[in-house]
Amino acid sequence: MKIDVLTLFPEMFSPLNYSIIERAKKAGILDISITDIRNFAKGKHQQCDDYPYGGGAGMVMIPEPIHNCLKSVKTPNSHIVYMSAKGSLLNQTKVEELSKYEHLIILCGHYEGVDQRILDQEIDEEICIGDYVLTGGELPAMVLLDAVARYVPNVLTGEGSLKEESFSNGLLEYPQYTRPQIFNGESVPGVLLSGNHQEIDKWRKTKILEITKKNRPDIFKQYLKKEKIKSMKEQDLKSKK
């Protein structure tokens, strides 16, 4: 998968040179490029921002450098995302969807954002990572990139983990334990030491529901609604038989 990130602060993306992402890059599974938008700005000072029309606080990124930067990396297969607090909220379904694109371009805004004409003419979708505002789009871009990269085939050595992690089934993940068996006086739950996989699976499903209900009641409510609809459909099918 090819991923291009367009930013005014390319040095912020040094974390991509470590761990799983770096291994995937070295293996040729991920092709990630960070492009400095300022290199496409005109003039001695390479200005990339200006005061907003109509007045208001802060500065707005001007369209021409962004347009030229996009033009330098865009292909017919590109899908262009702008990281924005005004965008649709990122979730696991969207992550999986984005991982299927051949070429992903992520535009990082800064200051008060970018000229609206860039969004209208160049961007395929705006994405937000949470209901809060950050100083720029660089951190959200890294979050998106990392989340998407995990779903690219062969990036993770243990592909099975994707099926059981949080949000993969609409709920949160069950607790994990490893050695030592006893730590600070607390032992690993006995069922995990029993070797009875049927009971282990039952315990994990119970914990998934408990944790989701406690930490994300909104998700738990959606789950109950889906289960109710599913049960009604099954009962309807039985009655027709």
Side-chain angles (χ1 to χ4, degrees):
M1 182 182 194
K2 170 68 172 170
I3 301 176
D4 277 285
V5 180
L6 314 186
T7 174
L8 290 174
F9 301 95
E11 61 275 8
M12 289 185 67
F13 290 87
S14 59
L16 299 179
N17 296 323
Y18 300 92
S19 190
I20 293 172
I21 301 298
E22 175 64 7
R23 290 201 299 268
K25 286 163 59 180
K26 287 183 176 179
I29 301 169
L30 294 176
D31 180 4
I32 301 175
S33 298
I34 313 298
T35 303
D36 190 343
I37 298 171
R38 202 173 297 278
N39 291 336
F40 296 83
K42 295 180 179 179
K44 178 181 177 181
H45 301 290
Q46 295 182 299
Q47 183 179 354
C48 287
D49 63 317
D50 209 334
Y51 295 103
Y53 278 117
M59 306 289 277
V60 177
M61 291 177 66
I62 60 179
E64 189 173 28
I66 300 173
H67 170 75
N68 291 334
C69 188
L70 281 169
K71 188 177 179 180
S72 73
V73 298
K74 188 177 179 181
T75 71
N77 296 322
S78 300
H79 184 77
I80 306 173
V81 173
Y82 172 56
M83 306 310 299
S84 166
K86 297 185 294 184
S88 57
L89 193 62
L90 182 65
N91 56 31
Q92 204 69 10
T93 300
K94 174 57 67 174
V95 166
E96 293 184 50
E97 178 188 317
L98 292 173
S99 70
K100 294 177 172 60
Y101 284 102
E102 180 181 321
H103 183 204
L104 192 63
I105 299 175
I106 306 174
L107 172 62
C108 304
H110 218 77
Y111 313 118
E112 295 301 314
V114 306
D115 189 292
Q116 183 64 36
R117 288 165 292 187
I118 286 293
L119 305 183
D120 294 340
Q121 299 174 18
E122 308 272 9
I123 303 301
D124 293 309
E125 62 179 315
E126 298 180 53
I127 293 180
C128 172
I129 65 167
D131 295 333
Y132 44 84
V133 179
L134 299 173
T135 55
E138 285 73 22
L139 292 177
M142 278 189 277
V143 169
L144 178 65
L145 190 156
D146 188 271
V148 168
R150 299 176 72 256
Y151 275 86
V152 175
N154 302 316
V155 167
L156 294 183
T157 55
E159 298 289 344
S161 64
L162 292 173
K163 299 178 182 179
E164 297 185 349
E165 64 188 6
S166 292
F167 306 111
S168 60
N169 60 357
L171 299 170
L172 303 186
E173 190 180 9
Y174 52 79
Q176 300 280 9
Y177 296 87
T178 187
R179 295 188 176 110
Q181 184 176 331
I182 299 175
F183 175 71
N184 280 350
E186 183 179 358
S187 178
V188 173
V191 65
L192 299 180
L193 307 173
S194 67
N196 187 327
H197 294 288
Q198 186 175 355
E199 288 299 313
I200 291 173
D201 186 56
K202 182 179 177 181
W203 178 86
R204 285 175 171 171
K205 287 179 179 178
T206 299
K207 289 298 179 181
I208 283 172
L209 294 176
E210 288 178 358
I211 292 170
T212 304
K213 184 178 181 180
K214 177 184 177 183
N215 295 343
R216 291 294 302 271
D218 55 324
I219 295 178
F220 187 71
K221 186 177 181 179
Q222 291 175 7
Y223 166 77
L224 291 179
K225 186 176 180 180
K226 289 179 182 178
E227 287 297 302
K228 184 178 180 180
I229 294 173
K230 181 180 176 182
S231 177
M232 290 173 63
K233 287 182 178 179
E234 290 176 349
Q235 289 178 7
D236 187 49
L237 288 173
K238 288 180 180 179
S239 64
K240 288 180 180 180
K241 291 181 180 179

